[in-house]
Amino acid sequence: MERRVRQKRRVGEGTAWQHSQAPSGDQFPSEAIRHRFENTDFQMMSCRYLNRSYFTKIAPDIIEIGCKRSASTFTCFPQVDELLTESVSQGREKAMAVLETLDAFLASASRACCSPLAIFIQIQGCVICLTLAIGWALAAYVRSRTIHHIKCNIRKGNSFAFICGDINDLEHSAQMNLPGVSVIMPLKGFGEHNLQNWRTQITSLYGGPLEFLFVVESSDDPAYTAVSSLISEFQDNIDAKIVVAGLTTTCSQKIHNQLIGVQRMHKDSKYVLFLDDDIRLHPGSIGALTAEMEKNPEIFIQTGYPLDLPSGSLGSYCIYEYHMPCSMGFATGGKTFFLWGGCMMMHAEDFRKDLYGVVSGLSDGGYSDDMTLAAIAGQHKRLIWSPPVAIFPHPLASDLSFPRYWNYLRKQTFVLESYISEVNWMMNRALFSTHCYLSWGFVLPYFMALIHVAAFLRAPNTGSLSKESSSSYTGLLLVIGLLISTVIELLSMWSLTKVEVQLCNMLSPEGATLSLDSYKWGFVFLAMLVDNFLYPISAIRSHFSKSINWSGIRYHLKDGKISKIERSMENGPSYSDLAWKKLYGKIQPHPKGSLINYLSRKYSLAPTKEV
């Protein structure tokens, strides 16, 4: 039986560091063996494998190996070390060449970012950030004054300050004289938060005549069944009904539903309130809007704005960030030039008489209700009003993906392609150009800042720190300025959101408490960059496409008006208006408590049937 002995390697033997002659061409028995040698990675083969049977059986077929053998030792000397050294050296040289090229590019780019034009762009980015911060700070001041006013009324004994500023207005005699209001809600499908939103809209504490009209395009719409169930639950407490509008042929489906609702509203209604189905009203919202209309008859349209509640996805934060710059235009505490279609209160008589062509302007190829009515108000110098309490929670879908956000952004930019007059067209072009310029003017400085930082970090490794000291320190100063401006901007956005969350909690004490804890501010910053980068792309695409698919309906524009309507199916797929998601879902359970129960518990009111 053959004796097995331990194999040992002498120091310096059997390693790739031992210098020996590389194999010559005649050492390969065949071209196939040469090919195997050339494709063998000896550098990755550990030296401890050299004394094993693998190498003694396989390697001799590839190259000649000089072997020394004794009774107790066996040592092999592959003759490839010079090839490995040369290969490693070439790899290092290539890597160094790539780094040198990168360093040269960064240095050149950093110098280019210190040119007068580039410095202007970066300073402009800081100015944009600070301008937004100032606007949000002023908006927070207006909202906080409202909070202070409510707290003062509560301290004075008005426990219902969240409904009405003067408790005497809640007297029965005062409530009897309130005007009638018709609330029209155009619906499309049934989504995640719809049922809870509808409950807040129909459980208003407005004391005057109030009717609710839920308008759907057909009885096959999933919203029809959900609303029918909701109305049957509250049939003894509210005046509500469902109206089937049919399919539109001349304008958007939303506008068509609104105008059909206007035709069916009560003849004695003094005001009409249009609401989207994705916002939550406060108990005193309808009363507050009506009080402003009664106080100032010059108001043509009264509006409000949503407070987005992100669900956690990047798409939801992009929508939140998209709405935030516009929110300062609605936080004026009064007169404004902006109009949001999710909440619009108008004089019912204006629709009955088609004043200023509000009905014909909407029905004749109208795509966007708020942009069309805002253009009419501006053309005839009529007043648009936004009271400070008109801020409404807007929960975003939990599965709101990035593609759904993109589709929403496309709709927002597409409205700029619709117009009703030459003046309206010019205003839309100005808004288009300004928004695109400011969006990329906001994003570009951050790309330049990345170049400055990368160039500065690589400078010590290239020895160019002294040579490029002027441009490097100029770039760093610009980066520091942008960083400070960004921090101030985010703090101002956080402050406004905090104030609006606090105001919403005060206006709806019976509802679920909103909190800032769910907001991820790293996502907010990322959403700022993503949204502002994509906006010009979406706007340019909308400008050249002249068509958009929204909720299963494709609208085509010509000369600013809808010229063609295409439906993907006979009844159209059911998607939510904002999140582009299928609306066949489970109805949410009833909320744990209602406003009436809350008031009865807190103020010992007479027992009331739960609504």
Side-chain angles (χ1 to χ4, degrees):
M1 184 174 181
E2 182 180 353
R3 182 184 176 186
R4 300 179 63 183
V5 297
R6 184 182 178 187
Q7 297 178 353
K8 260 173 141 184
R9 188 182 71 222
R10 298 188 187 95
V11 177
E13 293 181 344
T15 68
W17 297 101
Q18 181 175 350
H19 296 285
S20 57
Q21 191 67 26
S24 59
D26 57 358
Q27 290 176 316
F28 295 100
S30 66
E31 286 299 320
I33 293 178
R34 175 194 292 274
H35 181 72
R36 289 175 61 189
F37 169 76
E38 292 175 348
N39 288 277
T40 300
D41 190 355
F42 291 100
Q43 184 178 1
M44 299 301 295
M45 188 177 293
S46 176
C47 291
R48 62 191 179 90
Y49 286 102
L50 298 178
N51 289 334
R52 294 192 177 183
S53 60
Y54 168 80
F55 213 85
T56 61
K57 294 178 181 179
I58 303 300
D61 291 338
I62 303 177
I63 59 174
E64 291 185 355
I65 300 177
C67 298
K68 293 182 179 179
R69 202 167 169 171
S70 65
S72 59
T73 63
F74 175 77
T75 308
C76 298
F77 302 91
Q79 306 181 16
V80 296
D81 58 311
E82 293 182 2
L83 292 177
L84 294 179
T85 303
E86 182 180 356
S87 175
V88 172
S89 177
Q90 290 177 352
R92 288 178 179 174
E93 290 177 359
K94 290 180 180 179
M96 292 299 296
V98 171
L99 287 177
E100 289 177 0
T101 303
L102 177 61
D103 292 335
F105 168 76
L106 289 175
S108 176
S110 182
R111 288 194 300 271
C113 291
C114 290
S115 65
L117 177 60
I119 291 176
F120 169 77
I121 292 175
Q122 292 167 87
I123 294 176
Q124 177 185 254
C126 296
V127 173
I128 293 174
C129 290
L130 295 177
T131 302
L132 289 172
I134 294 173
W136 286 326
L138 293 176
Y141 171 73
V142 173
R143 303 288 190 194
S144 61
R145 281 195 313 174
T146 304
I147 295 175
H148 176 72
H149 182 68
I150 294 175
K151 290 181 177 179
C152 287
N153 285 335
I154 293 175
R155 285 195 296 266
K156 292 177 182 179
N158 181 8
S159 300
F160 294 93
F162 66 95
I163 299 175
C164 183
D166 186 356
I167 196 170
N168 294 322
D169 291 337
L170 297 178
E171 294 286 345
H172 179 70
S173 57
Q175 296 287 300
M176 289 293 293
N177 295 324
L178 290 176
V181 177
S182 293
V183 182
I184 298 176
M185 289 168 280
L187 307 181
K188 174 65 177 178
F190 180 74
E192 179 181 357
H193 301 288
N194 286 144
L195 191 60
Q196 188 174 356
N197 296 339
W198 296 337
R199 288 180 180 277
T200 65
Q201 293 169 356
I202 65 177
T203 54
S204 170
L205 292 184
Y206 181 67
L210 185 63
E211 68 167 345
F212 298 92
L213 290 88
F214 295 89
V215 189
V216 296
E217 66 178 37
S218 72
S219 57
D220 295 329
D221 194 302
Y224 186 91
T225 302
V227 171
S228 298
S229 175
L230 184 66
I231 292 177
S232 63
E233 180 184 348
F234 291 90
Q235 60 183 353
D236 297 330
N237 303 292
I238 62 173
D239 177 12
K241 57 185 176 183
I242 304 178
V243 178
V244 178
L247 302 181
T248 181
T249 57
T250 61
C251 58
S252 69
Q253 187 65 49
K254 179 184 178 181
I255 291 178
H256 177 72
N257 290 7
Q258 290 172 328
L259 296 180
I260 294 297
V262 167
Q263 294 175 11
R264 302 289 183 86
M265 69 180 176
H266 198 281
K267 59 183 178 64
D268 293 330
S269 293
K270 186 175 182 179
Y271 302 111
V272 55
L273 174 61
F274 299 104
L275 293 177
D276 280 354
D277 63 352
D278 55 359
I279 67 166
R280 296 177 182 173
L281 282 188
H282 306 294
S285 294
I286 297 179
L289 293 171
T290 305
E292 291 290 341
M293 298 289 282
E294 290 288 285
K295 188 188 306 181
N296 187 358
E298 295 298 319
I299 296 177
F300 180 58
I301 310 175
Q302 200 168 187
T303 188
Y305 207 63
L307 169 61
D308 291 321
L309 306 177
S311 59
S313 65
L314 178 60
S316 65
Y317 278 99
C318 286
I319 292 177
Y320 163 76
E321 191 282 328
Y322 176 82
H323 283 156
M324 282 304 291
C326 301
S327 64
M328 64 183 72
F330 292 85
T332 60
K335 183 178 180 180
T336 183
F337 298 99
F338 299 92
L339 182 61
W340 178 53
C343 175
M344 300 185 300
M345 176 174 276
M346 300 180 65
H347 295 269
E349 201 64 23
D350 292 347
F351 284 90
R352 295 189 182 105
K353 296 180 178 179
D354 193 16
L355 185 66
Y356 307 125
V358 291
V359 175
S360 57
L362 289 169
S363 61
D364 183 19
Y367 171 75
S368 172
D369 54 340
D370 48 10
M371 293 292 286
T372 301
L373 292 174
I376 292 174
Q379 181 179 355
H380 297 279
K381 306 295 189 296
R382 295 305 306 270
L383 181 61
I384 301 176
W385 195 265
S386 178
V389 295
I391 180 72
F392 310 107
H394 180 209
L396 299 174
S398 58
D399 60 348
L400 202 159
S401 62
F402 194 80
R404 291 170 183 166
Y405 151 73
W406 169 253
N407 197 64
Y408 172 77
L409 184 63
R410 285 273 289 113
K411 177 179 179 288
Q412 298 305 304
T413 56
F414 188 73
V415 300
L416 297 179
E417 303 304 317
S418 63
Y419 53 90
I420 61 173
S421 65
E422 290 297 324
V423 175
N424 187 207
W425 177 84
M426 293 177 62
M427 293 295 294
N428 286 356
R429 291 304 94 204
L431 184 59
F432 172 94
S433 304
T434 302
H435 202 158
C436 290
Y437 176 82
L438 292 178
S439 291
W440 277 355
F442 175 85
V443 174
L444 279 178
Y446 291 98
F447 287 100
M448 294 182 178
L450 286 177
I451 293 175
H452 287 310
V453 172
F456 182 79
L457 293 177
R458 287 295 306 168
N461 299 327
T462 60
S464 61
L465 185 61
S466 58
K467 297 187 232 177
E468 306 290 343
S469 59
S470 177
S471 61
S472 296
Y473 288 118
T474 301
L476 283 182
L477 288 176
L478 293 170
V479 170
I480 293 172
L482 182 61
L483 176 62
I484 294 174
S485 302
T486 302
V487 171
I488 294 175
E489 178 192 19
L490 289 174
L491 287 175
S492 183
M493 182 189 292
W494 172 84
S495 177
L496 174 59
T497 306
K498 178 183 178 181
V499 170
E500 291 182 339
V501 165
Q502 184 180 1
L503 180 57
C504 287
N505 287 333
M506 294 187 69
L507 294 174
S508 294
E510 86 296 347
T513 302
L514 305 181
S515 173
L516 276 177
D517 295 340
S518 61
Y519 286 77
K520 302 175 184 177
W521 295 98
F523 263 34
V524 172
F525 173 71
L526 179 60
M528 290 167 58
L529 297 179
V530 172
D531 183 68
N532 283 284
F533 176 76
L534 292 179
Y535 182 90
I537 298 175
S538 175
I540 294 172
R541 180 178 176 183
S542 297
H543 177 70
F544 288 103
S545 67
K546 299 298 183 183
S547 68
I548 192 171
N549 190 313
W550 192 250
S551 295
I553 306 174
R554 178 164 292 278
Y555 299 102
H556 297 264
L557 291 184
K558 183 179 181 181
D559 297 330
K561 297 182 179 182
I562 291 178
S563 60
K564 184 180 179 182
I565 300 176
E566 296 177 343
R567 297 179 181 272
S568 56
M569 294 174 58
E570 182 63 23
N571 295 323
S574 299
Y575 293 95
S576 62
D577 187 47
L578 180 59
W580 189 250
K581 91 174 186 182
K582 286 222 171 184
L583 299 176
Y584 294 98
K586 296 180 179 180
I587 297 179
Q588 293 181 345
H590 294 237
K592 295 182 179 179
S594 67
L595 176 64
I596 302 300
N597 283 342
Y598 167 81
L599 295 176
S600 64
R601 290 194 308 269
K602 186 169 183 178
Y603 303 111
S604 300
L605 297 177
T608 308
K609 181 180 178 181
E610 183 176 352
V611 293

